[in-house]
Amino acid sequence: MNFARLLILDDDLDICLTIKAIAERAGLTALIATDPESFFDHVVSWRPTHIALDLIMPEMDGVEVLSRLADLNCGASIIITSGIDYRVLDAARRSGHEHGLQVSGVLQKPFSPAQLRTLLHTDGPDAAKTQMRAGNAFKPDATSLAAALRDGQVQLVYQPKINCATGALTGFEALARWHHPVHGVTSPDRFIPLAEAHGLIDTLTLCVQEQALTWMQDGLFQEQAGFVMPVEMPLTVSVNISARTLEDRNFAESVMALCDRYSVSHEHIVFELTETSAMADPTSSLDLLTRLRMKGFQLSIDDFGTGFSSMKQLVRLPFSEIKVDKSFVLTALKSEESQAVVRSIIDLGRSLGLRTVAEGVEDQETLALLKELFCDQAQGFHIARPMPPADVRAWMADYAATLA
Ligand code: C2E
Ligand code: CA
Ligand code: CA
């Protein structure tokens, strides 16, 4: 049974009818509204699974409609349409996302039936997607997270980083996953903020570091020794550090003690920092970060280009690496603006003597562009998705074969 329902809002009836015909041919039931009032009535009473929304209408603009849809907690998959500049459409898409809406795409008029059909099927009510939403509906609480940390349910996956110019392996980023016995794998975006808010972040950071160091000594260094593959020395493992952790006065001592215990020298470890602007005590954070650098650890400013990682922090704190935020890298081929941002961040990093890393590299073309821009390192799905430690050996063998 098909239960996909498309609600169309456009003040041009001809366009409504065209969209309706395309949707019905694609197996959806469709309903038309040409004014906002009847549109919102249908949103409430008919509960559409999909919405096609014209951005510019005489009585109300699309941005207002989006914000009212957000107030109504609308879960439909939204397609934004309009005849205006793509940049404005794209800004509206981002605004929808920021309101927590599910915007599946934007269509610049005139669009083809095929373009519309693709978007209608992007978020069809298929089983996998429904399951994912069910997983996302899981609202973790601090008590279960504390238990999960104790029981070893929080584990690391590793995503490789390579040298853009030579393809050589340079290291891995360690990313936390919560393997919940009932709700399955929960992403860090859902439990890191919880850990920060409930005083569990230091426990989490310690748990992550212990796992990463154990893996380096027992896994990574052994695997790498067994392979003849191009690697850049020192091979590094990057761990993410929340700004909160910098309030821990014993952080430097505890991480040095761990490195001693696992016999890992400091130069192999990169601490990635986001939200540097949120550091509670800028002076003591500066002291701590300076000490870490003096002890030989590397420091990376993560998500650079977003509001949280600012130019001021870049200049003030002793970073050794700058990570271009993936939102720019993901769109670098499609958007001139994104490409300009990526290029400027790489140039800035180089002129400050920092290593530059781009994350979110999803295709060969983007990797080629980064090489052209003289970016040092790349990370992303095109190279490999984050993987459990048990899969690293096989990945290395496959990857070495592609380089040979
Ligand atoms: P991040 O540090 O920016 O990590 C990169 C995120 O981008 C990861 O998401 C990774 O899976 C994803 N990613 C990598 N390559 C691609 C790609 O090609 N395309 C796309 N679309 N995404 C890609 P993940 O693992 O969900 O982590 C989310 C965030 O959670 C991280 O963002 C980091 O800020 C935080 N986090 C993860 N592990 C830890 C941890 O152990 N401690 C702390 N404090 N934060 C962590
Ligand atoms: Ca990171
Ligand atoms: Ca990042």
Side-chain angles (χ1 to χ4, degrees):
M1 191 184 65
N2 198 326
F3 50 85
R5 297 177 299 278
L6 171 71
L7 178 60
I8 306 154
L9 174 60
D10 200 307
D11 57 306
D12 183 334
L13 184 61
D14 284 343
I15 292 185
C16 286
L17 290 169
T18 310
I19 296 180
K20 185 170 190 280
I22 298 169
E24 286 176 345
R25 240 173 287 136
L28 284 85
T29 313
L31 204 60
I32 288 174
T34 51
D35 66 277
E37 280 329 301
S38 62
F39 170 77
F40 282 110
D41 288 346
H42 292 318
V43 168
V44 174
S45 57
W46 195 56
R47 305 217 141 260
T49 54
H50 294 69
I51 288 173
L53 169 69
D54 182 14
L55 203 59
I56 300 196
M57 289 161 294
E59 288 168 63
M60 190 183 218
D61 70 64
V63 175
E64 272 177 75
V65 174
L66 287 172
S67 108
R68 270 185 67 185
L69 284 173
D71 292 342
L72 291 169
N73 263 331
C74 174
S77 151
I78 300 168
I79 301 165
I80 298 177
T81 65
S82 190
I84 52 169
D85 182 354
Y86 186 81
R87 286 182 61 179
V88 181
L89 278 177
D90 199 50
R93 179 187 58 78
R94 285 198 300 271
S95 144
H97 274 302
E98 277 167 27
H99 276 104
L101 293 167
Q102 205 197 320
V103 182
S104 57
V106 294
L107 282 180
Q108 196 168 18
K109 291 176 187 171
F111 48 82
S112 69
Q115 283 174 308
L116 176 61
R117 269 199 304 273
T118 308
L119 286 182
L120 287 173
H121 289 302
T122 321
D123 273 292
D126 61 275
K129 290 263 164 53
T130 319
Q131 228 175 26
M132 232 171 70
R133 284 203 202 102
N136 288 345
F138 165 52
K139 289 240 175 338
D141 61 88
T143 318
S144 50
L145 178 58
L149 285 166
R150 224 175 22 242
D151 299 346
Q153 287 172 17
V154 175
Q155 286 170 12
L156 292 177
V157 286
Y158 297 92
Q159 187 177 34
K161 291 162 58 179
I162 61 164
N163 179 309
C164 291
T166 64
L169 178 69
T170 61
F172 291 82
E173 177 173 4
L175 295 156
R177 297 286 179 270
W178 177 357
H179 296 265
H180 193 285
V182 178
H183 300 285
V185 182
T186 303
S187 101
D189 290 328
R190 305 177 63 82
F191 62 84
I192 301 289
L194 187 71
E196 287 176 343
H198 292 86
L200 293 168
I201 194 68
D202 290 346
T203 316
L204 188 137
T205 304
L206 185 67
C207 158
V208 164
Q209 280 170 354
E210 281 204 289
Q211 283 185 46
L213 285 162
T214 315
W215 177 69
M216 285 167 93
Q217 199 45 270
D218 301 344
L220 179 61
F221 296 155
Q222 318 290 331
E223 308 286 12
Q224 175 239 325
F227 274 108
V228 189
M229 81 178 278
V231 292
E232 209 170 274
M233 297 310 269
L235 214 50
T236 58
V237 172
S238 303
V239 288
N240 292 282
I241 298 294
S242 138
R244 278 286 163 84
T245 300
L246 302 181
E247 292 164 28
D248 175 2
R249 300 212 165 267
N250 296 319
F251 182 78
E253 276 66 32
S254 76
V255 63
M256 285 189 287
L258 278 176
C259 286
D260 268 359
R261 180 162 3 127
Y262 295 97
S263 313
V264 172
S265 72
H266 301 174
E267 60 182 357
H268 292 289
I269 298 184
V270 183
F271 294 114
E272 292 194 4
L273 283 149
T274 27
E275 310 210 350
T276 43
S277 57
M279 290 185 304
D281 180 348
T283 312
S284 65
S285 317
L286 175 61
D287 289 355
L288 169 60
L289 295 176
T290 307
R291 282 185 65 211
L292 288 171
R293 286 282 281 138
M294 290 190 314
K295 297 288 179 194
F297 295 100
Q298 305 188 49
L299 278 185
S300 173
I301 183 163
D302 205 351
D303 302 339
F304 194 78
T306 67
F308 294 121
S309 290
S310 75
M311 192 78 93
K312 188 171 149 208
Q313 304 299 341
L314 175 66
V315 174
R316 202 175 80 87
L317 299 171
F319 290 106
S320 45
E321 173 185 289
I322 183 168
K323 257 186 133 167
V324 187
D325 188 61
K326 64 175 173 295
S327 60
F328 304 114
V329 179
L330 286 168
T331 51
L333 292 175
K334 279 181 282 173
S335 145
E336 277 175 36
E337 291 84 357
S338 294
Q339 193 170 127
V341 173
V342 172
R343 183 192 308 267
S344 319
I345 297 178
I346 293 169
D347 289 349
L348 174 70
R350 287 169 61 80
S351 62
L352 292 173
L354 302 174
R355 180 167 68 212
T356 51
V357 182
E359 67 179 3
V361 180
E362 292 194 349
D363 48 54
Q364 179 57 42
E365 292 73 25
T366 307
L367 184 58
L369 170 71
L370 292 164
K371 185 176 171 181
E372 233 171 77
L373 298 176
F374 299 107
C375 181
D376 295 316
Q377 297 183 3
Q379 174 184 348
F381 296 169
H382 172 64
I383 298 137
R385 290 190 176 253
M387 62 189 104
D391 293 354
V392 169
R393 190 183 177 78
W395 175 81
M396 277 190 178
D398 287 350
Y399 184 71
T402 66
L403 287 182

